[in-house]
Amino acid sequence: MSRGSLRIYLGSAPGVGKTFAMLHEARRRRGRGTDVVVGIVETHGRALTATLLEGLEVLPRLTVEYRGSRRAELDTAAVIARRPQVVLIDELARTNLPGSRHEKRWQDVEDILDAGIDVLSTVNIQHLESLNDVVQSITGVRQHETVPDEVVRRAAQVELVDMTPEALRRRLAHGNVYGADKVNGAVANYFRLGNLSALREIALLWLADRVDEALERYRADQGIREAWPTRERVVVAVTGGPESETLLRRGARIATRAAGGQLFACHVRSSEDQVGVDPEALTRIRRVARDVGAEFHEVSGTEVAGAILDFARGVNATQIVVGVSRRSRWQQLLRPRIASEVADGSGDIDVHLVSHEESRTGHRDRRNRGLPRRRVVGGFLLAAGCLVGLTAALVVTQDKHALSFDLLLYLALTVGCALVGGIWPALSCAVAGSLVVIWFFTEPRGTLTISDPLNALALVLFILVSTAVSWVVHVAARRTEQAVAAQRESAALAALSRDLLAEPRPLPALLDKARDVLGMRRAVLIETADDGERIVVAATDPALMIGTPLHPDQSWTLDVAVEDGVDLLFDGPPVAAGDQRVINAYAAHAAILHSREQLIRAAQQAAGLARDNAARTTLLAAVSHDLRTPLASIKAGVSTLRQPGGTLSAADESELLESVEGSADRLDALIGNLLDLSRIETGTVRAHTHLVDLFDMVVGTVRTTSDPARVEVDIGPDIPAVTADSGLLDRVLANLIENALRHSDRDVCITGSVFGDAVQLRVADRGPGVDDVDKERIFAAFQQLGDSPRGEGLGLGLAVARGLMTVMGGTLVPEDTPGGGLTMVVELPRTGTAEPKAAPRAAVEEDS
């Protein structure tokens, strides 16, 4: 049995007509004789949609019990049992009710497709998982119902149901999307013109990318390598040199001439290049590519031109931008220009040859650098010394060997000079050797004349072979030198990356590593302020404090620019020229880490501001309610008492006064908590500690609570005094007791015990308790967990209590009450032994 096919109607927003289009397709197929049924379609009260449902077979839905009511869901089993050819299932991203077959509706669709049934479905662009965050940033609404992108991509067909934002807003205003009571809110919020335009663009671009993917699959399946210019795709070949920025900007202008143009930056790492391009230069080019909207790709290949063409054909490019060669004329004779090779092999791809400033000045390819100076000098010394010694030995024994043997010995000496000093010492040795052979070993001797033509030919061949062998040996020696240097640099950079990943503070670790590798005494990263002062960001020297200005009189061996306004300074011996790439790599890492730390600080500041804004919003919303309630009660009571000619009885008047007093007490407690929280957060609370007798303190606090008769105090005579601030401790206990009374219908019990060097007070209630995952969250400001019907206030009591305990050097932790409920454990340091107390429960009740 083959799997069914999925056809999805994609929309940019609700109301564009996805369900309408799906129902039209269903009626068209039914008219052709196809067995079509409706699994589930939501009309949302739209008359036109309901009209299209008429005449279609609608399968019964599955009834699910949810929160005391019965809801209808898709009955997947009934669809599979009915086995139609096509089934309509609306809202692919919908979350099923608990008790359904699957959590998500798209999972039901997968089961139906596996059963060989074709499915027509709908989804909005904001419900795609990959676009959820993007849509939230535009509309401010996070969609909790999402469908994986892969499910939509696997669909046999995805049809975009498009509508202009203006037309959709008119449809909304006419009541064709939502009811009249929701239109104004929708138009002013989610359905703003800017939101709809952005969502429409996202939907169009997403579908265009899927079309591109399908086209690339088709071209790959059919083996088509020629470019199909469905849209302008411009590839810019960059070398990493200074001309790369010019080429990228020129390519960007070419790409933007056509709507929907794409820009690619391609850098080829040739297998012949042992050293490669400076990492700092590549980092700069990547940044420029990002700024002009290009995708940066780094590829490898034995031939640069062939790699560029392969990449261009791989992305279906229509145009290639290359720069004029920076090689000199004699270099171009030895190696053809890359631009010419690209143009010759481009076929139907247009090639733009762009001139730039660097092409006029030329350049010296750093890959063609000679060997180190010491080796060249050594080669010349070897040539001079060995040439004299070898000639002397051959002159003494010239009767015992032929000219051919002499030439082989001088050729061996030439090869040895090439191995040590490269091409120039070897060529010098070959020329000098040939002159020596002519003078000493060819007839007539003692002159630079050669009488025998064969000897002359042998001498010419000697010079040519010496030159060729010297060049090959020179190139091999140079490549070996470069490979060793590249391996050394790669090992250092790999170790750097590995070590930084494990460092909790990577920037100081980077400076330590750079100092050790380069043999420096100290390293420092500085940032130049607007006034020109250089501020220390990180340093290996403890004497350089972070955030302090760098002394202007201090001298530094090396100053490397990391980014605008940021420099990496080294103090130590001079740096070898060969270490410049490693230095640049450290600078590039420093730039990334510095930017990362700045982003982290900015994110932390933003998070702090967001928390502050949320706290202010919550505070204003809560205060508007919690201040209004007691104030309204006070105003009503006072107004009634002040009515002229009132006939209130003494009992009624006493009740009103009691209500006014209670409301005033609640208002006083609320303002007290707000002030305490403000003082805690600003750090202005100071604890004035002294010896406090816990029994007297608890009894005095219980007496001021709203219902002291429901509080049981069980503090034994062996409980010692504690060191605390009596005023702050009273606030802590009052908040804890009121919180316990508010969340429990049974008595609240306060007990005391000695635990090591501390004294613990336990305020236990028999309420619903708090889950373990919420035990820390209850101490956050403005938290009211459980939505208790008896709850009131701003949710500040526990936050204030913990803050005050911290100020006094104590702790406040929640625990579960055995048998159910929550126990707040107050722990303070003990100082001595208190006087015995008797009958605590009776004392409290009598005083109350």
Side-chain angles (χ1 to χ4, degrees):
M1 180 178 59
S2 61
R3 178 179 167 89
S5 66
L6 174 62
R7 180 170 182 172
I8 294 177
Y9 292 87
L10 177 69
S12 59
V16 296
K18 303 179 301 299
T19 305
F20 201 79
M22 180 179 66
L23 288 171
H24 266 297
E25 175 65 15
R27 297 179 72 88
R28 186 185 69 83
R29 294 194 184 193
R30 191 196 62 168
R32 286 187 329 196
T34 305
D35 184 12
V36 180
V37 301
V38 176
I40 186 167
V41 169
E42 305 292 346
T43 63
H44 299 290
R46 300 165 190 166
L48 290 177
T49 305
T51 302
L52 288 176
L53 274 173
E54 295 177 0
L56 295 176
E57 179 184 349
V58 180
L59 296 181
R61 299 186 184 184
L62 178 68
T63 302
V64 179
E65 293 284 344
Y66 182 68
R67 292 186 177 179
S69 62
R70 298 170 67 84
R71 308 283 184 88
E73 280 288 358
L74 172 67
D75 193 339
T76 305
V79 173
I80 296 175
R82 169 65 173 75
R83 298 197 62 79
Q85 291 177 282
V86 179
V87 61
L88 276 61
I89 300 177
D90 205 5
E91 299 181 0
L92 184 64
R94 179 71 175 268
T95 300
N96 294 330
L97 294 173
S100 301
R101 184 171 184 169
H102 293 294
E103 180 185 0
K104 296 287 188 177
R105 184 168 290 175
W106 65 264
Q107 295 171 314
D108 296 329
V109 169
E110 290 292 315
D111 288 350
I112 295 172
L113 292 172
D114 290 338
I117 302 171
D118 294 343
V119 177
L120 303 181
S121 189
T122 64
V123 70
N124 280 328
I125 193 68
Q126 66 264 30
H127 293 295
L128 294 184
E129 184 65 44
S130 64
L131 300 176
N132 199 292
D133 293 339
V134 177
V135 173
Q136 183 186 10
S137 66
I138 294 171
T139 64
V141 178
R142 184 171 187 84
Q143 301 292 337
H144 297 287
E145 295 184 329
T146 60
V147 59
D149 289 47
E150 185 60 28
V151 173
V152 182
R153 291 187 184 192
R154 286 201 307 263
Q157 296 182 62
V158 178
E159 180 177 329
L160 179 65
V161 182
D162 189 31
M163 178 175 288
T164 64
E166 294 80 5
L168 180 56
R169 284 167 61 90
R170 285 195 300 271
R171 177 179 288 186
L172 186 70
H174 293 158
N176 295 330
V177 179
Y178 296 137
D181 57 329
K182 297 181 179 179
V183 170
N184 290 334
V187 170
N189 293 285
Y190 191 88
F191 285 80
R192 293 196 301 268
L193 194 61
N195 288 0
L196 296 179
S197 298
L199 292 173
R200 188 187 185 205
E201 181 179 4
I202 291 173
L204 291 169
L205 291 176
W206 188 90
L207 192 60
D209 288 340
R210 304 293 77 75
V211 173
D212 277 345
E213 290 176 1
L215 178 61
E216 289 304 317
R217 285 196 302 269
Y218 176 80
R219 295 177 69 239
D221 293 340
Q222 301 298 322
I224 300 173
R225 293 182 56 83
E226 293 80 9
W228 283 11
T230 54
R231 72 164 82 175
E232 290 294 339
R233 292 181 175 89
V234 182
V235 173
V236 179
V238 295
T239 63
E243 79 281 358
S244 299
E245 297 184 20
T246 302
L247 299 181
L248 280 170
R249 294 189 177 95
R250 179 64 61 85
R253 291 196 295 272
I254 295 173
T256 54
R257 291 172 187 168
Q262 287 184 282
L263 183 63
F264 301 89
C266 176
H267 173 257
V268 179
R269 185 177 293 277
S270 174
S271 58
E272 297 180 358
D273 187 359
Q274 299 290 338
V275 179
V277 179
D278 188 348
E280 183 180 11
L282 271 187
T283 301
R284 184 181 68 254
I285 298 305
R286 287 178 185 273
R287 188 181 303 117
V288 175
R290 184 181 64 245
D291 293 342
V292 300
E295 296 181 20
F296 186 90
H297 296 266
E298 187 171 11
V299 299
S300 61
T302 55
E303 296 182 359
V304 175
I308 294 173
L309 291 172
D310 288 342
F311 175 80
R313 293 190 181 100
V315 298
N316 197 20
T318 57
Q319 303 184 61
I320 300 176
V321 177
V322 292
V324 174
S325 176
R326 293 184 289 159
R327 297 173 183 166
S328 61
R329 292 186 181 275
W330 68 269
Q331 287 177 322
Q332 293 180 21
L333 291 175
L334 295 175
R335 298 179 64 184
R337 293 186 301 175
I338 293 175
S340 300
E341 295 179 349
V342 171
D344 292 341
S346 62
D348 55 354
I349 303 177
D350 296 336
V351 178
H352 299 265
L353 186 61
V354 179
S355 62
H356 49 84
E357 193 65 30
E358 295 295 323
S359 64
R360 302 187 183 95
T361 60
H363 85 301
R364 182 183 179 188
D365 192 344
R366 70 185 307 274
R367 295 175 294 179
N368 292 331
R369 292 182 308 178
L371 295 174
R373 184 179 181 82
R374 56 181 177 78
R375 290 188 58 177
V376 176
V377 173
F380 278 112
L381 293 177
L382 177 66
C386 292
L387 192 63
V388 173
L390 177 61
T391 302
L394 291 177
V395 168
V396 173
T397 61
Q398 59 181 332
D399 297 335
K400 299 180 180 181
H401 45 77
L403 179 61
S404 59
F405 180 73
D406 298 339
L407 292 178
L408 286 176
L409 290 178
Y410 282 105
L411 179 60
L413 177 59
T414 302
V415 173
C417 293
L419 285 173
V420 174
I423 184 65
W424 297 116
L427 288 177
S428 301
C429 182
V431 173
S434 63
L435 295 175
V436 168
V437 169
I438 295 172
W439 186 271
F440 288 103
F441 305 110
T442 61
E443 297 294 340
R445 300 175 189 263
T447 67
L448 295 178
T449 304
I450 305 175
S451 59
D452 189 350
L454 291 177
N455 289 341
L457 180 60
L459 198 57
V460 172
L461 291 175
F462 163 75
I463 294 175
L464 293 176
V465 171
S466 298
T467 303
V469 171
S470 299
W471 175 254
V472 171
V473 173
H474 168 77
V475 171
R478 189 188 66 213
R479 292 283 174 84
T480 302
E481 187 86 9
Q482 292 174 348
V484 171
Q487 184 179 13
R488 184 170 58 250
E489 292 175 7
S490 299
L493 296 179
L496 170 65
S497 300
R498 183 181 62 251
D499 295 343
L500 290 181
L501 288 175
E503 286 290 340
R505 299 177 64 240
L507 192 54
L510 173 70
L511 297 185
D512 290 337
K513 196 79 174 177
R515 178 197 60 191
D516 297 339
V517 169
L518 299 174
M520 295 293 176
R521 287 185 291 273
R522 56 181 178 167
V524 60
L525 187 70
I526 59 97
E527 189 172 15
T528 304
D530 295 336
D531 57 0
E533 198 169 38
R534 309 176 92 184
I535 308 299
V536 177
V537 177
T540 60
D541 187 357
L544 299 175
M545 303 296 293
I546 296 176
T548 60
L550 191 67
H551 200 281
D553 295 335
Q554 291 178 318
S555 60
W556 301 91
T557 306
L558 189 62
D559 187 337
V560 183
V562 172
E563 53 186 2
D564 292 340
V566 181
D567 294 276
L568 183 58
L569 308 180
F570 293 98
D571 179 24
V575 180
D579 291 332
Q580 188 60 44
R581 285 169 50 83
V582 177
I583 294 172
N584 292 338
Y586 278 111
H589 276 77
I592 294 172
L593 293 177
H594 181 255
S595 300
R596 177 173 173 267
E597 291 193 354
Q598 286 183 318
L599 290 174
I600 290 175
R601 286 196 295 269
Q604 291 173 343
Q605 292 175 355
L609 291 174
R611 286 194 300 270
D612 292 343
N613 289 334
R616 285 193 204 87
T617 302
T618 306
L619 177 62
L620 290 174
V623 166
S624 63
H625 172 269
D626 290 276
L627 286 179
R628 188 184 301 115
T629 301
L631 285 175
S633 178
I634 292 173
K635 178 175 176 57
V638 172
S639 299
T640 302
L641 291 172
R642 292 187 60 193
Q643 285 181 356
T647 58
L648 293 175
S649 64
D652 292 339
E653 184 175 343
S654 175
E655 184 178 352
L656 277 176
L657 290 173
E658 184 179 353
S659 174
V660 170
E661 184 180 14
S663 298
D665 289 341
R666 288 197 301 275
L667 191 60
D668 179 67
L670 173 63
I671 295 175
N673 279 336
L674 287 171
L675 292 175
D676 286 342
L677 184 64
S678 176
R679 290 164 56 205
I680 291 170
E681 291 183 345
T682 56
T684 57
V685 179
R686 296 290 182 270
H688 303 284
T689 59
H690 53 276
L691 294 181
V692 176
D693 185 284
L694 283 182
F695 181 81
D696 292 340
M697 168 61 66
V698 172
V699 170
T701 303
V702 169
R703 193 179 297 123
T704 63
T705 59
S706 59
D707 194 357
R710 291 180 48 221
V711 181
E712 178 181 351
V713 180
D714 185 8
I715 299 179
D718 57 338
I719 301 300
V722 296
T723 301
D725 184 312
S726 57
L728 300 183
L729 184 57
D730 177 71
R731 297 287 298 160
V732 171
L733 293 175
N735 283 338
L736 296 180
I737 295 170
E738 289 293 350
N739 189 71
L741 290 172
R742 193 161 51 241
H743 290 87
S744 176
D745 294 328
R746 300 169 59 183
D747 288 352
V748 174
C749 181
I750 304 177
T751 61
S753 61
V754 178
F755 186 78
D757 294 331
V759 175
Q760 291 184 345
L761 282 178
R762 295 176 175 269
V763 181
D765 64 51
R766 295 288 183 178
V770 176
D771 294 336
D772 291 339
V773 294
D774 293 327
K775 280 192 169 64
E776 282 303 313
R777 196 156 63 92
I778 60 176
F779 292 103
F782 312 113
Q783 292 292 327
Q784 291 181 303
L785 300 182
D787 296 329
S788 172
R790 302 182 55 180
E792 59 183 26
L794 296 178
L796 297 176
L798 295 182
V800 170
R802 173 167 277 190
L804 296 179
M805 286 301 302
T806 302
V807 171
M808 290 187 291
T811 60
L812 175 61
V813 295
E815 293 180 357
D816 292 329
T817 302
L822 183 67
T823 298
M824 289 293 180
V825 182
V826 177
E827 186 172 298
L828 287 164
R830 56 181 297 187
T831 56
T833 305
E835 296 180 2
K837 306 295 179 190
R841 171 72 175 179
V844 174
E845 291 181 347
E846 181 179 351
D847 290 337
S848 61

